[in-house]
């Protein structure tokens, strides 16, 4: 099967690139589009370091054949900050010391973004469930859970002040 042109909306911008048959979304994001925040960890969908949002849902981009999402919308960590300013999730991760080596951070943030988009007031259990598909070898998870809860509180507070 020959390579094909794939069209996606990536971080709000229409993008086209050539993809080999069976190429993963992760490979195309990194190699064709230069978006390197999503990391190749296990290459089996078990670690979460490659998580991006596909049509608003967290997906392990290492398992997604790019042609299956052609025409869809993909959001990566590079598309989270606006105007160079960190969003609430990103800043809460910094403030709560939820990053150490950083390898899992982009996947954790994308899962948190998806959670807060659908549930602006999550419980601790909701957060634990949401991040359960992501592996962190450094923080022990407590700071990550606290960061997501803090980000939720910041978003709610910001919504009230608008």
């Amino acid at each position: 099967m020959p390579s094909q042109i794939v069209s996606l909306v990536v971080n709000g911008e229409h993008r086209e690139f050539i993809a080999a048959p069976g190429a993963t979304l992760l490979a195309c994001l990194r190699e064709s589009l230069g978006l390197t925040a999503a990391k190749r960890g296990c290459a089996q969908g078990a670690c979460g370091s490659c998580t991006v949002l596909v049509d608003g849902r967290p997906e392990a981009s290492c398992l997604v054949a790019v042609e299956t999402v052609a025409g869809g919308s993909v959001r990566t960590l590079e598309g989270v900050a606006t105007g160079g300013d960190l969003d609430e999730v990103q800043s809460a991760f910094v403030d709560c010391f939820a990053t150490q080596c950083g390898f899992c951070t982009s996947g954790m943030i994308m899962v948190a973004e998806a959670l807060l988009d659908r549930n602006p007031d999550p419980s601790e259990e909701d957060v634990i469930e949401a991040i359960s598909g992501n592996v962190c070898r450094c923080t022990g998870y407590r700071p990550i859970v606290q960061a997501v809860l803090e980000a939720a509180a910041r978003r709610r507070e910001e919504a009230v002040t608008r």
Side-chain angles (χ1 to χ4, degrees):
M1 186 179 345
S3 295
Q4 62 183 357
I5 297 173
V6 175
S7 294
L8 292 170
V9 174
V10 180
N11 298 327
E13 295 181 21
H14 182 265
R15 305 291 299 268
E16 288 188 344
F17 52 92
I18 297 174
T24 65
L25 177 58
L26 176 63
C28 293
L29 289 171
R30 292 181 63 83
E31 297 164 16
S32 298
L33 301 179
L35 300 172
T36 59
K39 305 290 187 252
R40 185 179 188 275
C42 68
Q44 299 174 1
C47 74
S49 64
C50 68
T51 302
V52 298
L53 303 186
V54 177
D55 296 327
R57 295 180 318 275
E59 298 283 348
S61 63
C62 71
L63 296 181
V64 176
V66 72
E67 62 266 15
T68 66
V69 295
S73 175
V74 175
R75 187 172 178 214
T76 69
L77 183 64
E78 290 92 347
V80 171
T82 54
D85 294 325
L86 299 180
D87 85 337
E88 299 87 359
V89 176
Q90 292 171 308
S91 61
F93 265 64
V94 172
D95 296 343
C96 294
F97 303 100
T99 63
Q100 286 186 22
C101 83
F103 202 80
C104 73
T105 305
S106 65
M108 290 286 190
I109 288 174
M110 297 314 296
V111 167
E113 294 283 347
L115 171 64
L116 298 182
D117 285 348
R118 73 176 184 276
N119 180 359
D121 193 10
S123 67
E124 184 171 322
E125 292 76 26
D126 294 332
V127 174
I128 290 169
E129 182 180 335
I131 68 169
S132 66
N134 294 64
V135 176
C136 176
R137 294 173 180 92
C138 301
T139 67
Y141 299 98
R142 189 86 224 126
I144 294 169
V145 171
Q146 287 307 120
V148 177
L149 293 171
E150 174 63 23
R154 290 178 186 185
R155 284 191 178 177
R156 289 190 308 274
E157 183 177 313
E158 185 177 304
V160 169
T161 59
R162 279 191 235 173

